[in-house]
Amino acid sequence: GENVEQHPSTLSVQEGDSAVIKCTYSDSASNYFPWYKQELGKRPQLIIDIRSNVGEKKDQRIAVTLNKTAKHFSLHITETQPEDSAVYFCAARNTGTASKLTFGTGTRLQVTL
Amino acid sequence: ETGVTQTPRHLVMGMTNKKSLKCEQHLGHNAMYWYKQSAKKPLELMFVYNFKEQTENNSVPSRFSPECPNSSHLFLHLHTLQPEDSALYLCASATESQYEKLFFGSGTQLSVL
């Protein structure tokens, strides 16, 4: 089955700096890669997603890049703000009749003043 | 509020108790999911329902019994649980059962004593 690895597990950046979270996946047939943000004590929320036919997608201060050859994708947050502090989860969906969404273990991002 | 409501928010139960978790979505979605979130582990898929029919059972022990009476409601019946079942149980819904754009509820924090 699919295996998703996420790094780093914790990340601390100063306000205004950029943050990058990286994920690798094992199933080359995976075709959909969402990112979820979970603030402390709250529900996970989808913040951005990308499909395998696209290499990069941006939404204001967040962007996701996908390298299908290397089987890795990354979340980039620019000009970080304190409200970006949360746990971020990547995920990969494999294809086929038994498609599943496999999550990474999460990255705790702390944006310090 | 996201439109996905889970009750109760917190639950403490003994190993011999029987309890139920409830999830309700007001988004007009056709698919509903149960996930388990444990500390330092990836989100684990438990069950998927599509148009009230169970389409996925991710090898979940029989002490967890799901019920989906209609596309808006999802239950998770619990009996004779183990302490290792303590976790945050998240319900999610989506337009259909392909794991895209999941809307999560706030979860039920379950403690098994």
Side-chain angles (χ1 to χ4, degrees):
Chain A
E2 176 67 276
N3 182 46
V4 176
E5 295 191 359
Q6 183 171 350
H7 300 281
S9 57
T10 59
L11 179 60
S12 182
V13 300
Q14 283 198 319
E15 184 180 6
D17 288 350
S18 295
V20 180
I21 302 170
K22 299 182 179 182
C23 288
T24 60
Y25 60 98
S26 59
D27 188 345
S28 57
S30 289
N31 63 358
Y32 174 69
F33 307 90
W35 286 88
Y36 285 83
K37 173 185 179 182
Q38 187 174 26
E39 295 178 49
L40 189 62
K42 297 192 175 180
R43 66 190 180 278
Q45 289 188 288
L46 177 70
I47 55 171
I48 195 166
D49 55 10
I50 191 169
R51 298 181 189 280
S52 57
N53 59 346
V54 176
E56 182 176 1
K57 184 176 179 180
K58 290 185 72 172
D59 183 2
Q60 299 183 339
R61 293 187 299 107
I62 60 172
V64 58
T65 58
L66 171 65
N67 184 327
K68 286 191 294 182
T69 303
K71 288 187 284 188
H72 67 69
F73 56 113
S74 300
L75 178 71
H76 304 254
I77 306 174
T78 59
E79 300 172 29
T80 53
Q81 301 169 3
E83 51 265 38
D84 294 329
S85 297
V87 179
Y88 292 82
F89 295 94
C90 65
R93 182 189 67 188
N94 63 314
T95 57
T97 56
S99 72
K100 289 187 179 183
L101 189 67
T102 303
F103 283 87
T105 49
T107 296
R108 182 172 298 281
L109 173 64
Q110 182 69 47
V111 179
T112 57
L113 296 174
Chain B
E1 181 58 60
T2 62
V4 180
T5 305
Q6 286 188 246
T7 54
R9 291 295 305 274
H10 303 273
L11 179 62
V12 179
M13 60 187 288
M15 288 190 284
T16 58
N17 291 158
K18 289 184 180 182
K19 297 287 184 183
S20 295
L21 309 185
K22 179 181 176 183
C23 177
E24 184 174 359
Q25 59 96 0
H26 307 279
L27 300 168
H29 289 164
N30 298 314
M32 297 188 78
Y33 308 72
W34 278 118
Y35 278 89
K36 176 182 179 183
Q37 186 174 32
S38 305
K40 303 196 178 186
K41 285 188 176 181
L43 281 161
E44 297 175 56
L45 177 69
M46 300 177 73
F47 302 102
V48 181
Y49 278 82
N50 194 31
F51 290 97
K52 305 187 299 178
E53 299 298 320
Q54 187 180 122
T55 57
E56 185 80 36
N57 177 338
N58 202 30
S59 303
V60 180
S62 59
R63 57 186 184 271
F64 295 92
S65 174
E67 180 190 359
C68 189
N70 55 61
S71 292
S72 298
H73 294 85
L74 185 65
F75 296 89
L76 188 62
H77 304 299
L78 316 171
H79 63 98
T80 59
L81 294 192
Q82 305 298 311
E84 59 265 30
D85 296 323
S86 298
L88 180 68
Y89 288 84
L90 290 163
C91 172
S93 71
T95 305
E96 40 81 22
S97 62
Q98 292 303 308
Y99 302 94
E100 294 194 13
K101 303 192 190 305
L102 299 177
F103 284 78
F104 284 91
S106 297
T108 294
Q109 186 65 55
L110 174 67
S111 297
V112 181
L113 304 178

